[in-house]
Amino acid sequence: MKWDDLDAQPCSVARTLAVVGDRWTLMILRDCFLGVQRFDDFQHRLGLSRALLADRLKALTDAGVLERHAYQTRPERFEYRLTPAGIDLHPIMLGLADWGNRHLADDRGAPLLYRHKTCDHDFRPVTTCSHCGEALDARSVAVRPGPGFPDPRAARR
Amino acid sequence: MKWDDLDAQPCSVARTLAVVGDRWTLMILRDCFLGVQRFDDFQHRLGLSRALLADRLKALTDAGVLERHAYQTRPERFEYRLTPAGIDLHPIMLGLADWGNRHLADDRGAPLLYRHKTCDHDFRPVTTCSHCGEALDARSVAVRPGPGFPDPRAARR
DNA sequence: ATTCGTGAGTACAGTTTCGATACCCATATT
DNA sequence: AATATGGGTATCGAAACTGTACTCACGAAT
């Protein structure tokens, strides 16, 4: 399977990764959530090549995750903003940050701290069930592939 | 910045991505959560090259996300299992699947369905505050970079 | 006793992608 | 006129990835 075929898979994880599963894409999105909006700011903060940054920003824009917005004319200058779909990626960012905080923390520098403005406390994200509100753990979740999805064990003869 | 330098960054998102932020790595982990454990099963299901699969499995093992476990001797055969740290990635997988379900659903096939065994209902993952238990949205979260983390706007003069 | 099949890889050539560096263009400032 | 700013392209060598083939250790089938 080629990378470009990922979004043709009948799997939501694969299709999401086809949009945001790139090395740099997720770093760009991290910066978006930190308020970065401009081409050169992304480039200076991330240090990736300008060609690649242009490519990724275009891909994210085409995917509807970012939108390109002119903040001045003559000369035209643009900033990139998260769309509602982009903002919906926030739980994934929180998940990535939380995993890093818990499993990769060390003396190289303090990680990000998140504060819930509503209750004014630092927090860890807890993933809960939308039906009963209970915290989820991997063992209490059953995955049911929809029709057409290859059975996990089908590859074994 | 080179990809290998990511884990030196004082940012938990970057450090997590240094471990799991690769195209194939997240697909491998998706399959792990679906119960796939053996080399050839990964290879058949994902269709990536054997060399790359061997490399990624080794990297995940070295990172403590998977562990390599001999399930027979003569000849030695191994399976790869999620460690507790690997299981902790589950909320991220749920987040990826949920985003795909909501933003990339189409007629190419049914996405994954998740059921909470405890309450026996299909659910969507809801990310909540560990302190007050309320559902989080991006606007109610303030990020406070730890010491040494570059200010989001520092790149702008 | 040879051949076939399985599981878990390694080796290598060819292609694709990426990174570094340089360059372009329109405008504003000195 | 020279320089700075913002947002990009162009080019080329280096690195990563893919496809195909091969290995090795064993077990079963012919």
Side-chain angles (χ1 to χ4, degrees):
Chain A
M1 190 210 311
K2 303 291 268 302
W3 184 246
D4 295 338
D5 303 332
L6 264 190
D7 65 347
Q9 282 234 138
C11 168
S12 291
V13 176
R15 302 209 293 234
T16 300
L17 291 177
V19 176
V20 301
D22 172 80
R23 314 172 111 99
W24 290 114
T25 300
L26 284 161
M27 290 298 290
I28 291 168
L29 288 169
R30 178 204 67 174
D31 274 5
C32 289
F33 280 106
L34 291 174
V36 177
Q37 296 186 315
R38 299 186 185 182
F39 191 93
D40 274 22
D41 290 348
F42 287 113
Q43 209 250 317
H44 288 129
R45 286 174 47 82
L46 299 175
L48 82 177
S49 74
R50 303 176 74 75
L52 199 50
L53 176 58
D55 184 81
R56 292 296 183 272
L57 288 173
K58 181 169 186 328
L60 285 169
T61 304
D62 291 347
V65 171
L66 297 181
E67 70 194 352
R68 194 166 178 263
H69 178 262
Y71 64 90
Q72 70 173 41
T73 44
R74 296 206 333 279
E76 273 203 310
R77 292 293 175 260
F78 307 96
E79 54 194 20
Y80 294 88
R81 298 177 181 171
L82 289 163
T83 63
I87 290 172
D88 277 353
L89 291 165
H90 196 238
I92 296 172
M93 286 291 147
L94 287 178
L96 292 170
D98 186 51
W99 195 85
N101 278 343
R102 284 188 294 136
H103 295 284
L104 303 172
D106 62 14
D107 52 3
R108 283 178 297 188
L112 295 177
L113 297 174
Y114 289 91
R115 177 165 286 259
H116 188 209
K117 290 192 238 173
T118 309
C119 74
D120 201 36
H121 282 87
D122 289 347
F123 68 95
R124 285 195 37 223
V126 176
T127 302
T128 61
C129 171
S130 59
H131 185 266
C132 70
E134 210 176 284
L136 296 167
D137 70 299
R139 279 168 306 285
S140 68
V141 171
V143 185
R144 200 148 35 88
F149 189 82
D151 185 278
R153 267 155 270 265
R156 189 146 346 129
R157 277 135 306 280
Chain B
M1 189 210 313
K2 304 292 270 304
W3 184 244
D4 295 338
D5 302 334
L6 266 189
D7 66 348
Q9 284 234 142
C11 167
S12 291
V13 175
R15 303 211 290 234
T16 300
L17 291 177
V19 176
V20 302
D22 173 79
R23 314 171 111 100
W24 289 114
T25 301
L26 285 161
M27 289 298 289
I28 292 168
L29 288 170
R30 178 203 68 174
D31 274 6
C32 290
F33 281 106
L34 292 174
V36 177
Q37 297 186 314
R38 300 186 183 182
F39 192 93
D40 274 23
D41 290 347
F42 287 113
Q43 210 251 317
H44 288 129
R45 286 173 49 81
L46 299 175
L48 81 176
S49 74
R50 303 177 73 76
L52 198 51
L53 176 58
D55 183 81
R56 291 297 183 271
L57 289 173
K58 182 169 185 328
L60 285 169
T61 304
D62 291 349
V65 172
L66 298 182
E67 73 195 348
R68 192 167 178 262
H69 177 263
Y71 65 88
Q72 70 173 40
T73 44
R74 299 207 329 276
E76 274 202 311
R77 293 292 175 261
F78 307 96
E79 53 194 19
Y80 294 87
R81 297 178 183 171
L82 290 164
T83 62
I87 290 171
D88 277 353
L89 292 165
H90 195 238
I92 296 172
M93 286 291 148
L94 287 179
L96 292 169
D98 187 51
W99 194 86
N101 279 344
R102 284 188 293 136
H103 295 284
L104 303 172
D106 61 12
D107 52 4
R108 283 177 297 187
L112 295 178
L113 298 174
Y114 289 91
R115 175 165 288 256
H116 188 208
K117 290 192 238 172
T118 308
C119 74
D120 202 36
H121 281 86
D122 288 348
F123 68 94
R124 285 196 36 224
V126 176
T127 302
T128 61
C129 170
S130 60
H131 185 265
C132 70
E134 211 177 281
L136 296 168
D137 70 300
R139 280 169 305 285
S140 69
V141 172
V143 185
R144 202 148 33 88
F149 188 82
D151 186 277
R153 270 155 269 264
R156 195 155 328 140
R157 280 132 308 277

